[in-house]
Amino acid sequence: MQQWCYKTFILLMLTLVACTNPTQQSNFQRNRNQKNSDDPYSQFTKSINLLEQQSENFEVNAQVRGNTQKSQSENQVKLPLVKPLEVEGDIVVAGASAIESLNKLIYERFIQQGYAGVIDLNSIGSTAAIKLFCEQQNYDLVTITRALREDEIAACRAKGYQPIGFQIGKDALMMVVSRQDNFVKQVSRAKLAAMLTREKWSNVNPNWAEKPIERILSTPSVALDIVLDTAFAGNSQLTVNPLNTKYYKDYESIIQSMSNTRYKVGMLSYSAYQPVSRSLRAIAIDGVAASPKAIANGTYPLSQTLFIYTDANRIKQKPQVSAFINFYLTYVNEEIKQTGLLPIAQQELNQSKIKWLKVMGLKTQ
């Protein structure tokens, strides 16, 4: 009897094992897998594998970036190394207020690297600086917002000067309105001229506001000349209507005058516009907005190229002038980023460097 019971028990257990639910087994396996996935060691090993893959990708990407930077570096014209600690003699510089901050940054870097002399920086405007530079020969260098005109070059040569200019940067002028004035976003050159002469916005475009236009402009200067030349195609017979126009010497005053006021149009430099772009809007000219790319390639109509000028003889006769221009061209594209001005293309900077090398009688690369 006992033997029968034992055999019956064994048979019953075998039957239960054979009938076990396979779904329960798979659930158990899933739970086990889930446990493994939550296990810190499992997570750690997965992270290690992921980091290794990222590391490989990073090395490849870094190599690509390195090759790109190397390629760009190979395209740069390199000037002889300047040692500011060994530079003796003072320098007198004058020019446009728009370039003053850049001049200061280059000067400060020159001092930090050992220059013990004095650079007298004067902000008197481009046209005045050119006149004093050529006619009175008061300055070693001038930093200006345009190239010299033919009559200015002739005036320099009449005094025995041979002016030579080096491109150092880009800037632009912006015609701006209140962001509340949504009706005006872009104008043609003809409509720009109308904005500068007509009484009401509706006189420029019948669909625009029936409100008087108040113009807030810079005092007669290179900046204003560029706006007028662009609007009127160099026709000096057309002038801004003085009845509805106010002139200010600096951009801060123009910004103040335009703040929280509608139906005005003002002019600002690219660098002056950036901090107030939330309240004022720049108007596109001929369908081109004043983007860094459009300013750099000159497609924006109110673009400006910035120059540093000296005399071809003075640069050879005064070592400190030669050294400072060399230093300026070497570091300008690094320092200009802090000013709101825009750097010139590497090809343009190379042209300035090659010009310096030729004036100094040195071989180009």
Side-chain angles (χ1 to χ4, degrees):
M1 181 68 179
Q2 289 179 351
Q3 186 177 2
W4 180 84
C5 289
Y6 177 76
K7 289 181 179 180
T8 302
F9 176 76
I10 295 298
L11 182 61
L12 180 61
M13 291 298 294
L14 290 172
T15 303
L16 288 172
V17 170
C19 294
T20 302
N21 189 340
T23 304
Q24 292 177 344
Q25 290 179 341
S26 61
N27 285 341
F28 172 79
Q29 186 65 36
R30 283 198 298 271
N31 291 337
R32 186 170 177 233
N33 291 341
Q34 180 66 39
K35 183 178 179 181
N36 287 341
S37 67
D38 294 336
D39 180 63
Y41 177 79
S42 174
Q43 292 295 322
F44 175 74
T45 54
K46 285 183 179 179
S47 298
I48 289 295
N49 292 334
L50 183 61
L51 286 173
E52 287 174 350
Q53 292 172 358
Q54 289 179 338
S55 177
E56 291 174 1
N57 292 334
F58 176 79
E59 288 175 2
V60 171
N61 292 336
Q63 186 175 4
V64 171
R65 287 195 299 269
N67 290 338
T68 302
Q69 291 172 354
K70 183 179 179 181
S71 175
Q72 292 174 347
S73 177
E74 288 172 352
N75 291 331
Q76 293 181 15
V77 172
K78 294 184 179 179
L79 298 179
L81 179 65
V82 172
K83 297 180 180 179
L85 186 63
E86 299 176 1
V87 177
E88 298 179 353
D90 298 339
I91 306 170
V92 184
V93 181
S97 58
I99 314 177
E100 185 177 10
S101 58
L102 177 59
N103 288 343
K104 287 181 178 179
L105 287 172
I106 299 292
Y107 178 28
E108 288 168 2
R109 186 164 184 162
F110 207 43
I111 290 174
Q112 288 170 2
Q113 294 192 20
Y115 175 64
V118 174
I119 299 182
D120 183 11
L121 301 175
N122 301 273
S123 178
I124 61 175
S126 295
T127 301
I130 293 167
K131 186 173 182 179
L132 292 174
F133 171 72
C134 290
E135 295 182 7
Q136 299 183 22
Q137 304 180 1
N138 290 356
Y139 302 107
D140 297 309
L141 304 167
V142 287
T143 51
I144 56 178
T145 56
R146 62 170 174 84
L148 264 65
R149 300 191 304 262
E150 288 298 326
D151 62 310
E152 292 168 334
I153 293 174
C156 278
R157 288 176 176 170
K159 295 288 186 178
Y161 262 28
Q162 296 296 324
I164 179 169
F166 306 90
Q167 294 185 51
I168 56 173
K170 295 281 187 177
D171 198 5
L173 297 167
M174 334 272 285
M175 302 307 297
V176 298
V177 295
S178 168
R179 283 203 169 270
Q180 299 177 59
D181 292 333
N182 294 321
F183 59 89
V184 53
K185 295 182 179 178
Q186 62 176 342
V187 295
S188 64
R189 296 187 191 217
K191 280 188 167 53
L192 174 59
M195 283 171 53
L196 296 171
T197 54
R198 302 295 178 86
E199 182 183 355
K200 296 181 180 180
W201 288 101
S202 56
N203 297 144
V204 181
N205 185 322
N207 298 320
W208 290 355
E210 188 74 22
K211 296 285 186 179
I213 303 174
E214 187 175 350
R215 289 163 278 268
I216 312 297
L217 306 178
S218 173
T219 51
S221 60
V222 171
L224 184 59
D225 287 345
I226 289 173
V227 172
L228 297 180
D229 287 345
T230 301
F232 304 121
N235 187 346
S236 59
Q237 300 300 316
L238 297 172
T239 56
V240 175
N241 179 8
L243 298 177
N244 237 6
T245 304
K246 294 179 180 178
Y247 296 96
Y248 292 96
K249 291 183 178 180
D250 55 83
Y251 292 127
E252 289 78 9
S253 299
I254 293 176
I255 292 169
Q256 231 174 21
S257 177
M258 293 202 61
S259 63
N260 302 318
T261 309
R262 297 190 61 183
Y263 308 116
K264 291 183 177 182
V265 60
M267 57 179 287
L268 295 174
S269 68
Y270 179 84
S271 53
Y273 169 71
Q274 300 309 309
V276 295
S277 59
R278 290 188 177 183
S279 58
L280 300 176
R281 185 179 66 253
I283 303 170
I285 310 293
D286 281 345
V288 183
S291 67
K293 182 178 180 180
I295 294 169
N297 62 28
T299 55
Y300 176 66
L302 300 179
S303 298
Q304 293 177 281
T305 300
L306 313 179
F307 290 86
I308 183 168
Y309 271 89
T310 189
D311 168 52
N313 293 318
R314 184 170 294 201
I315 194 176
K316 290 182 286 188
Q317 295 168 355
K318 298 185 73 172
Q320 67 269 37
V321 173
S322 170
F324 187 65
I325 294 177
N326 178 332
F327 192 84
Y328 208 117
L329 297 176
T330 299
Y331 297 107
V332 63
N333 272 7
E334 292 181 25
E335 297 295 345
I336 201 169
K337 298 173 184 177
Q338 303 180 53
T339 66
L341 300 170
L342 297 170
I344 55 176
Q346 186 60 52
Q347 184 179 0
E348 293 172 315
L349 184 57
N350 284 345
Q351 290 173 358
S352 289
K353 291 180 177 180
I354 290 171
K355 188 182 289 188
W356 183 92
L357 289 167
K358 287 182 177 179
V359 172
M360 298 305 298
L362 302 173
K363 291 182 180 180
T364 59
Q365 292 180 339

